Amino acid sequence: MATSASTFSSATRILQPLNNNNNNTLYGNQLGMSSCFLGTTKKLYMKTPFLSPNSKRRSKDVLVVSEVVKDKNCNADSSLSNLCHITWPLDNVLITKDEGLELYEDMVLGRAFEDMCAQMYYRGKMYGFVHLYNGQEAVSTGFIKLLKKEDFLVGVYRDHVHALSKGVPARQVMSELFGKSTGCCRGQGGSMHIFSKEHNVLGGFAFIGESIPVATGAAFSIKYRKEVLKEADCDHVTMAFFGDGTSNNGQFFECLNMAALWKLPIIFVVENNLWAIGMSHLRATSDPEIWKKGPAFGMPGVHVDGMDVLKVREVAKEAVARARRGDGPTLVECETYRFRGHSLADPDELRDPAEKNHYAARDPISALKKYMFENNLANEAELKAIDKKIDELVEDAVEFADESPHPVRSQLLENVFADPKGFGIGPDGRYRCEDPKFTEGTADV
């Protein structure tokens, strides 16, 4: 239905201006900005089919993440009508008690699990690269806890917490990190390749950008099932997570184009933690406002404070609802910050200590805890009980992983070929390479 303008709802609370006196961060000095938080954006107007976004750099004086643009021509029967409403009043509680406890528990699980991973890595229980999620929990929890089991989730190499939020048991994730047969990939995936068919987690991916085409394909399969195979109840969505560095890769632009062209049910979630390994986002990107790339392809582009789970959740609600209705994709840029180095092998010496301290003071778990206390949604005893529960859960996951067996040798070639017995395994069930005649003559070659 044609309309002169559609809006992406901002049921988020108003952001207060941050301390503008700290100019010690690298990116602040580079652009002559006085705000320590890059995410104090101006109004985000979401018009269809296209919008020419404000070309100005992020302003230090703006107080809100996004602002509702009321369309007087919105029809009450339009699928966009629920996007055309006034921002919630400041005194409105955004969550119920049960919702708050669920969000808190999921965020604490992510943090405790990653802290334990660091311990286990330095004790030699894990191998290879391990990328932790500390500090970014508001993004994973705010988005993924809105998904159904049937919805698809695709991440990158910082994927442990995504899987946990989607419901993959902590035992399975920890065992996978230990390389044990009880892991969600039977020990063959490791830290960067968490996968669960049961939970529709289509994997973490080691190379940035390669996950986005997979997510786009998953979204296409949903649309195909609904429109071609006539599965009326198939209202599933796909959620793709990736970082700021990925947004400069070719796959990102190609898939945004396809998703918008075919109105695929997908949400592109950019976890902009301001650093791509050791490269500052502002040094690597001509326009650091990633959300602008959405309107360029005819889809809403939204920017949100990724350190606030409630703001993330409200934006995620709208994006998921659009996808389920068949209104197409949304690009959401969540500005967040990782509290550790790029990986556990990174000494984290490139980021300014003042910058790290600034974001540490905005810890998303502490912020949610404070909000729940101020709105009488929980008391100290209830949250401590959750903390204790999670500590026991993570300890149990470690014990389970440590006691689990390593994969057997015969598992090595499984899931490599479509028909393993047609290549690597003989009719007798034994590996062909174990037959002395298999390598006959190769020594001469």
Side-chain angles (χ1 to χ4, degrees):
M1 185 172 185
T3 180
S4 61
S6 65
T7 63
F8 196 96
S9 164
S10 171
T12 55
R13 301 280 296 276
I14 290 182
L15 278 177
Q16 296 303 319
L18 299 169
N19 180 358
N20 293 330
N21 297 321
N22 186 346
N23 294 321
N24 295 325
T25 59
L26 174 62
Y27 52 84
N29 288 335
Q30 287 169 338
L31 292 186
M33 298 165 57
S34 58
S35 173
C36 297
F37 181 58
L38 198 58
T40 49
T41 71
K42 223 166 185 180
K43 301 174 182 179
L44 304 183
Y45 293 93
M46 309 307 160
K47 297 187 178 183
T48 51
F50 292 96
L51 171 70
S52 297
N54 191 334
S55 61
K56 293 181 180 179
R57 297 281 185 181
R58 286 172 178 156
S59 168
K60 65 182 180 180
D61 300 320
V62 180
L63 303 182
V64 297
V65 171
S66 58
E67 195 171 295
V68 171
V69 182
K70 293 182 289 182
D71 179 7
K72 297 180 180 179
N73 297 320
C74 276
N75 188 307
D77 297 326
S78 169
S79 63
L80 297 174
S81 62
N82 65 331
L83 298 182
C84 307
H85 60 77
I86 301 174
T87 307
W88 292 9
L90 292 178
D91 59 351
N92 197 325
V93 179
L94 298 176
I95 51 175
T96 65
K97 177 173 182 174
D98 289 343
E99 289 171 339
L101 293 176
E102 179 189 31
L103 297 177
Y104 180 80
E105 181 171 328
D106 191 64
M107 293 173 73
V108 170
L109 170 60
R111 179 70 59 85
F113 188 92
E114 297 293 68
D115 285 342
M116 183 60 76
C117 284
Q119 292 186 43
M120 295 300 105
Y121 178 85
Y122 292 126
R123 291 181 188 179
K125 298 291 185 179
M126 298 177 186
Y127 307 96
F129 287 101
V130 178
H131 307 82
L132 300 187
Y133 200 72
N134 299 56
Q136 301 182 202
E137 296 88 356
V139 181
S140 178
T141 297
F143 272 95
I144 298 175
K145 298 313 287 183
L146 295 174
L147 295 180
K148 300 186 293 187
K149 188 175 182 179
E150 297 80 11
D151 296 327
F152 290 115
L153 171 66
V154 184
V156 285
Y157 46 78
R158 206 178 301 278
D159 58 349
H160 315 156
V161 177
H162 292 159
L164 294 172
S165 292
K166 192 64 165 64
V168 182
R171 279 185 167 193
Q172 290 187 20
V173 180
M174 189 65 77
S175 293
E176 188 60 37
L177 297 174
F178 274 49
K180 298 299 185 69
S181 61
T182 53
C184 53
C185 297
R186 299 192 299 166
Q188 290 180 272
S191 171
M192 294 189 280
H193 301 286
I194 302 298
F195 173 90
S196 175
K197 179 180 179 181
E198 177 186 354
H199 298 88
N200 280 326
V201 176
L202 301 185
F205 290 80
F207 293 97
I208 63 170
E210 66 175 341
S211 61
I212 304 179
V214 174
T216 304
F220 179 82
S221 73
I222 295 171
K223 189 177 181 70
Y224 187 89
R225 287 171 57 188
K226 186 172 184 177
E227 297 186 2
V228 178
L229 302 182
K230 305 301 181 183
E231 297 181 15
D233 60 341
C234 185
D235 66 343
H236 315 325
V237 302
T238 298
M239 203 168 274
F241 288 84
F242 49 92
D244 46 285
T246 303
S247 66
N248 290 324
N249 278 28
Q251 301 101 313
F252 171 69
F253 298 101
E254 294 171 22
C255 290
L256 253 62
N257 178 61
M258 285 188 284
L261 182 66
W262 298 331
K263 294 187 71 174
L264 299 183
I266 184 170
I267 302 96
F268 297 101
V269 183
V270 186
E271 297 187 278
N272 183 0
N273 60 27
L274 308 181
W275 290 84
I277 307 181
M279 173 61 71
S280 167
H281 175 55
L282 298 192
R283 292 179 61 192
T285 307
S286 58
D287 187 342
E289 297 179 286
I290 301 171
W291 64 269
K292 287 182 179 180
K293 295 176 173 66
F297 286 94
M299 71 177 72
V302 184
H303 177 273
V304 68
D305 177 1
M307 303 298 281
D308 188 323
V309 67
L310 301 183
K311 294 183 175 68
V312 171
R313 187 169 181 268
E314 291 305 309
V315 168
K317 279 182 180 179
E318 297 285 2
V320 171
R322 289 189 75 253
R324 291 205 196 281
R325 288 195 305 268
D327 291 342
T330 303
L331 173 65
V332 183
E333 177 188 0
C334 303
E335 278 199 37
T336 182
Y337 202 78
R338 52 176 164 80
F339 291 166
R340 293 179 179 268
H342 173 68
S343 74
L344 287 175
D346 176 13
D348 196 19
E349 297 174 343
L350 297 175
R351 298 187 297 177
D352 193 311
E355 175 186 306
K356 292 189 279 189
N357 291 337
H358 168 73
Y359 283 100
R362 302 190 67 236
D363 188 313
I365 298 178
S366 299
L368 177 62
K369 188 174 182 179
K370 181 174 182 288
Y371 179 90
M372 294 180 70
F373 286 160
E374 290 177 348
N375 289 277
N376 299 315
L377 296 175
N379 56 47
E380 190 73 36
E382 289 173 309
L383 298 191
K384 283 186 176 180
I386 290 176
D387 295 342
K388 183 175 184 294
K389 172 185 173 182
I390 295 302
D391 286 342
E392 293 173 352
L393 181 70
V394 173
E395 289 285 352
D396 172 75
V398 169
E399 292 177 9
F400 177 81
D402 201 34
E403 295 170 1
S404 295
H406 288 284
V408 294
R409 184 171 181 269
S410 60
Q411 187 182 312
L412 184 63
L413 292 182
E414 293 180 24
N415 302 315
V416 176
F417 304 99
D419 181 9
K421 292 188 177 181
F423 183 86
I425 301 177
D428 58 357
R430 298 180 60 189
Y431 282 102
R432 294 184 188 276
C433 60
E434 293 178 345
D435 184 345
K437 294 183 179 180
F438 183 78
T439 56
E440 199 171 76
T442 56
D444 296 334
V445 175

